Amino acid sequence: MTPRLAIVVPCYNEEEVLPETNNRLLALLSRLEELQLTTPESTINYVDDGSHDNTWAMIEAFAAADTRVHGIKLSGNRGHQNALLSGLLSVEGDAVVSIDADLQDDVSVIEAMVREFNTGTEVVYGVRDSRQTDTVFKRNTALIYYNFMKKMGVDLVHNHADFRLLGRRAVEALRQYGEVNMFLRGIVPLIGYRAATVKYDRAERFAGVSKYPLRKMLAFAAEGITSFSIVPLRFITLMGFIISGFSFAMILFIIYGKTVLSAVIPGWASSVVPTYFLGGIQLLSIGILGEYVAKIYLETKQRPRYFVEKSI
Ligand code: UDP
Ligand code: MG
């Protein structure tokens, strides 16, 4: 059966790039329909994540000009993941593709995704073939991050951002994850079902500047770790064991030195240094613990993730 496709595009202050994005996506929909890969009811669904510029006015204009275009406007800036989620969970369609507004992801690859879906695949990941266009800094930090996450036991699809196709079943599965701190890249592989990847070259941002400055990038990375892995907590326990063992051995050694060898215990260093050392370790451990407690705190509140202000 030919699927009805919905393309979800989160937008935060994207007025510079949106007209081009809209043209390309509409052209793509027409092409897919011509090839009879999707039905004519297929849609483009923009999510305005509380933009301060003309983004929403543009989306309204696109919707007025073409019935295939729809949009929702969130009540404020909720961040990329929440914007994406609000789109995924609100659209109809048998297959839902999520793509960034900035045209860094290759729009034409959606055709390959749909073909893959039509063979019975439920989840299709868009995977970057090369990261030539990313800065050396971004490329390397991304690589370190993937490797680190793997060590932490979090299964991420390598070089995959949030460009993917989800079948209706996968979307409904996603709906059942109630967590407030959504990290879609980590959640989607947990859903299971048949998955595949399609490769593409990541382009440079078509226009405008990145909405992900270093600060947000780091926050996002930390989010990914503490939302999915309890390895840091285990690490604290392990460190506690090692350090207590070591301290215990030190005590024995001091007793031995004092009673058997009658040696003078050298200066204050032996008592002061461990104090500082342990103090430091404790602070660090408490800090990591606090991260998790904060998570529990936020999750137990069950706060709503977003509000839709308008919908067209
Ligand atoms: N975005 C969003 N809310 C935000 C930040 C970003 O909806 O708070 C959207 C943005 O409009 C874009 C996508 O998320 O469509 C990815 O952002 P960006 O391209 O700036 O990130 P980068 O590619 O630089 O990591
Ligand atoms: Mg981008």
Side-chain angles (χ1 to χ4, degrees):
M1 230 193 61
T2 316
R4 174 178 178 186
L5 179 72
I7 303 176
V8 171
V9 192
C11 313
Y12 179 53
N13 297 338
E14 297 286 7
E15 62 179 6
E16 282 159 277
V17 67
L18 266 188
E20 179 67 20
T21 307
N22 193 50
N23 285 340
R24 289 203 202 174
L25 288 177
L26 281 174
L28 176 91
L29 275 193
S30 304
R31 187 181 145 74
L32 291 180
E33 192 191 326
E34 252 168 55
L35 293 170
Q36 298 193 327
L37 289 172
T38 59
T39 68
E41 290 80 38
S42 298
T43 54
I44 302 171
N45 303 76
Y46 294 102
V47 179
D48 178 11
D49 187 18
S51 300
H52 305 297
D53 64 359
N54 253 330
T55 298
W56 180 248
M58 274 183 174
I59 294 170
E60 281 181 322
F62 297 155
D66 197 306
T67 53
R68 293 172 293 178
V69 179
H70 299 269
I72 59 175
K73 177 177 165 62
L74 300 188
S75 59
N77 183 239
R78 294 305 185 111
H80 179 224
Q81 297 290 294
N82 282 324
L84 202 56
L85 195 67
S86 68
L88 293 176
L89 298 185
S90 64
V91 298
E92 291 168 28
D94 310 310
V96 186
V97 167
S98 53
I99 186 169
D100 287 351
D102 59 5
L103 296 172
Q104 282 193 281
D105 305 324
D106 185 354
V107 167
S108 63
V109 165
I110 295 175
E111 181 184 324
M113 288 182 170
V114 173
R115 283 184 192 278
E116 193 59 60
F117 174 76
N118 288 350
T119 67
T121 308
E122 194 63 24
V123 180
V124 189
Y125 299 103
V127 171
R128 273 166 268 180
D129 218 359
S130 70
R131 297 185 73 127
Q132 298 304 333
T133 52
D134 275 348
T135 60
V136 177
F137 177 74
K138 195 149 188 169
R139 235 183 301 162
N140 284 309
T141 46
L143 193 66
I144 293 168
Y145 182 59
Y146 283 116
N147 289 332
F148 185 63
M149 290 297 272
K150 196 154 197 181
K151 291 228 165 62
M152 291 274 163
V154 187
D155 191 15
L156 293 180
V157 177
H158 200 72
N159 271 342
H160 159 69
D162 285 303
F163 182 30
R164 72 175 82 79
L165 179 147
L166 295 174
R168 179 45 52 195
R169 275 190 300 173
V171 173
E172 292 313 314
L174 192 62
R175 201 187 296 281
Q176 295 184 33
Y177 285 86
E179 49 203 277
V180 179
N181 295 295
M182 257 297 184
F183 184 62
L184 286 166
R185 266 169 246 188
I187 296 277
V188 173
L190 295 181
I191 295 175
Y193 293 127
R194 199 170 116 186
T197 57
V198 293
K199 295 209 160 152
Y200 69 100
D201 284 325
R202 188 152 161 104
E204 257 168 90
R205 205 172 220 293
F206 184 78
V209 292
S210 173
K211 311 298 182 290
Y212 260 95
L214 183 62
R215 181 177 53 81
K216 271 197 194 174
M217 240 169 76
L218 290 177
F220 187 60
E223 187 72 46
I225 294 166
T226 51
S227 292
F228 277 89
S229 168
I230 56 164
V231 172
L233 286 175
R234 299 235 171 94
F235 183 69
I236 294 176
T237 320
L238 183 70
M239 213 152 61
F241 268 118
I242 292 172
I243 289 172
S244 352
F246 184 73
S247 310
F248 188 65
M250 210 156 76
I251 292 168
L252 292 182
F253 181 72
I254 290 168
I255 294 173
Y256 176 73
K258 193 136 184 153
T259 54
V260 181
L261 300 179
S262 310
V264 183
I265 294 167
W268 51 269
S270 58
S271 52
V272 170
V273 171
T275 308
Y276 276 101
F277 181 62
L278 285 177
I281 298 282
Q282 279 167 353
L283 281 181
L284 176 76
S285 306
I286 293 169
I288 299 178
L289 243 146
E291 280 293 310
Y292 284 91
V293 174
K295 280 261 139 64
I296 297 169
Y297 169 70
L298 291 174
E299 293 294 345
T300 48
K301 282 204 274 204
Q302 298 267 327
R303 282 190 178 165
R305 292 173 286 208
Y306 53 82
F307 296 109
V308 176
E309 186 178 315
K310 280 182 207 161
S311 181
I312 48 175

